[in-house]
Amino acid sequence: MPLLPATHEILKRTEELTGRPVYVTEDPSLSILATMQTARGTAPMHTIRYRPTSNAMSDYFICWQCGFLIRLFSNPPSERLEFAGAPDADQRVKALYAHGGASEPDEAIAQFLATNILTQLRSYPIGLRIDDWLFAEFPELRQAQIHGARVQLQDNLAALNSPGRAMSPELIVSANTAMNAAFAAYWARSLADESLMLPYQSIGALKAGSRLMEIFHYCDTSPTADRPLVDLWAHELGLAGWYEWKQYTLE
Amino acid sequence: MLGDDLWTFEIEEGAFDSSLLPPDSRTPNTPEYHQAVRGFLERNLATAAGWFQVTVEDNKVRATWKSSASAPRPIDEIIKMLSDGRYAEAIQLLRMLLPSRPTDPVIHFNLGMALSDVGDFAGAGQHLATAVELDPELTNARVALGVCSAREGNWEDAAHHLQFAIEQEPTNGYALRNLGACFTQLNRLNEAENCFRQSVVALPQDQRCWLGLGDVLDRLGRGQEADVAYRAAIDVNPFNDLSEMARAARRKIAEQTLHMSGHERLREDAVAGCVAALQRFSTMSPEQVRAVAFEIAALGTKGINPYGPEARYRLRTLDGEFTGMPALCLMYVGLQQTAPEMDMQFDLAEEYTRAKQLFEQVRTRQ
């Protein structure tokens, strides 16, 4: 697949900054739009896998994933911290079921819910910083970026009526909805389309989304502030303690 | 930028936030509830989308719409709603905009103003303070913050905000008017007069400025100057509640002045007016006299200024033009002669007695 010049530029910048190559590959089996494995130890390169869509949209997802690496490596080595689920994250999910009077879910479901909500907690706030950067500095990617946002917004709207919503613990549902509302708010502003907020207003999620966006706007935008940004969102969503920050090293 | 993107969301009826609906339409699965949900979504989409369709059936709320670059700007629609007094709708819309524009002072300003108008002063104060923080040059937000404090009765705080606003914009008529009102409440009457005098220069068509000036002058014991201010308020718009307030204030001043003159000295212009009235009425039938008196009494409800030589009144029942005091005397004498039981709310009894004496003297000489 031929990549856009902007994508080449961002890949080059990523490789220079991290000192490791970035391997990009299609993966039609992916359930999400793109994923990245960061180089470390026996993994000598960063690997970005993406679900093939239109070419331009793939460029956006590749660049967006590179954005996480660029932000991580923009910090001095001692402040390069990686986000990881706490060892008891699955247990916390099970406890939520028990607290709600429901029967305990099996291990796979608990792990799935914990992984999903924590991935969203890390990727939404930092991802929006990356979107700011791409939007401002790479006009060439803008159409793809908007297209990608639209896909995510549609997926989020569909989730409002998904059966999984009714079966998940209240804390997980409310955290997911609040982050989706914040995501919609970000794009409502960028695209000057306030109608995107209406679904979240209709289900009473406006205030929670609003709080997250206030935090997003008032936090420092530098990569060193990514950790406090995620921590503040977590605190607001009741997810403090569900994850850890670990020192990142290439070895 | 999304052009004609089609969006859809569907939720269970019970998932809809019923606090967004009028209190009498919050019971799910009722026709009122369905209509209110549909109305809410349609109103909001009308201000932010292009084509849209909303259905509420089979326990599902479903909205489908297209983004449109030509959709009206929500903030313009909201400002129109606020000026039409549609506060509840405007507040809901502003709250919808807030998450995507948390750093937009205009959203906080309008939301603060709207909340202040519906009596949620705590919420209003918060949003107005945020607006000022985000844009320290937004003087009207400072004014609104002052008004909000004043509505809570915190006159000192209000005066502080308004003084700050005036430092920023010395000719801001609303700031001056409201600061005048605060100073009046704080009994700082000379400062209040100063503010109101500046406010009527900045906003000569604002009745509240003139009324405020009239009130403070009246409290300073300068009734004639107050009367001029009240008349100016009436001139701006003679047919609204504010002009009625101005008329009531003028009647009170006239009553006090006439009452005072009864005790202290006779008003010569009133005596002369009564003599003239007696002369005119001497050649007219009681019915004609009564018609004149009643016509002036009716005119009086729109305000007759006894001290304004420039104001002239024409009557259907009597030839000529009359300034305030002669007109008032015609009414007084006419009612004394034909309907003495009527309460005229002012007293020219001594002037009338003196006028009758003079009139008799003249007639005797003739």
Side-chain angles (χ1 to χ4, degrees), chain A residues 3 7 11 24 48 50 58-66:
Chain A
L3 297 176
T7 311
L11 284 168
V24 178
I48 296 175
Y50 64 91
S58 303
D59 277 81
Y60 163 60
F61 286 118
I62 292 165
C63 295
W64 190 74
Q65 291 290 353
C66 286

Side-chain angles (χ1 to χ4, degrees), chain A residues 51-124:
Chain A
R51 196 170 69 195
T53 49
S54 72
N55 286 346
M57 216 164 78
S58 303
D59 277 81
Y60 163 60
F61 286 118
I62 292 165
C63 295
W64 190 74
Q65 291 290 353
C66 286
F68 284 94
L69 283 172
I70 290 172
R71 290 186 75 83
L72 178 66
F73 278 83
S74 298
N75 292 320
S78 63
E79 290 183 40
R80 286 178 195 160
L81 299 170
E82 263 197 321
F83 180 96
D88 66 345
D90 307 353
Q91 291 308 313
R92 286 172 182 261
V93 173
K94 287 182 181 175
L96 290 177
Y97 276 99
H99 185 71
S103 57
E104 193 174 276
D106 62 36
E107 196 62 41
I109 290 177
Q111 193 175 24
F112 173 81
L113 288 173
T115 303
N116 273 6
I117 199 69
L118 292 175
T119 300
Q120 190 181 14
L121 174 63
R122 175 241 184 195
S123 64
Y124 267 42

Side-chain angles (χ1 to χ4, degrees), chain B residues 275-288:
Chain B
V275 171
L278 287 165
Q279 279 173 332
R280 276 184 176 266
F281 291 158
S282 65
T283 60
M284 294 164 64
S285 70
E287 288 75 23
Q288 288 171 317

Side-chain angles (χ1 to χ4, degrees), chain A residues 135 142-143 146 149-150 153-154 157-158 160-161 181-182 184-186 188-199 201-207 209-210 213-214 217-218, chain B residues 1-2 5-12 15-17 20 40-41 44-45 48-49 60 63 65 67-68 74 91-93 95-104 130 133-134:
Chain A
F135 206 86
R142 199 165 292 165
Q143 275 309 108
I146 289 170
R150 181 180 182 276
L153 288 163
Q154 296 279 18
L157 285 186
L160 290 179
N161 197 35
Y186 175 90
R189 183 189 175 95
S190 297
L191 305 172
D193 184 356
E194 308 298 347
S195 70
L196 297 174
M197 292 313 295
L198 186 60
Q201 184 180 30
S202 299
I203 59 168
L206 219 49
K207 199 170 177 182
S210 194
M213 287 315 283
E214 276 175 35
H217 283 289
Y218 285 104
Chain B
M1 283 175 97
L2 283 174
D5 283 338
L6 190 68
W7 302 95
T8 294
F9 88 98
E10 186 177 274
I11 52 172
E12 300 280 331
F16 191 89
D17 178 6
L20 298 165
F40 170 83
L41 292 170
N44 282 274
L45 288 169
K60 295 275 186 189
W65 72 98
S67 300
S68 169
I91 288 169
Q92 282 182 345
L93 272 173
R95 286 192 165 136
M96 185 174 92
L97 297 187
L98 207 52
S100 61
R101 306 186 193 186
T103 54
D104 185 343
T130 304
E133 195 182 304
L134 291 168

Side-chain angles (χ1 to χ4, degrees), chain B residues 110-154:
Chain B
N110 281 289
L111 184 53
M113 293 265 283
L115 291 173
S116 174
D117 285 346
V118 299
D120 178 357
F121 302 125
Q126 221 168 24
H127 286 289
L128 291 168
T130 304
V132 168
E133 195 182 304
L134 291 168
D135 182 1
E137 301 300 311
L138 193 58
T139 307
N140 282 337
R142 286 192 195 282
V143 178
L145 201 50
V147 171
C148 184
S149 296
R151 284 171 171 170
E152 285 187 286
N154 298 331

Side-chain angles (χ1 to χ4, degrees), chain B residues 259-276:
Chain B
H259 182 69
M260 190 173 70
S261 71
H263 288 288
E264 293 172 3
R265 60 183 172 82
L266 287 180
R267 289 200 50 123
E268 291 307 324
D269 54 347
V271 173
C274 289
V275 171

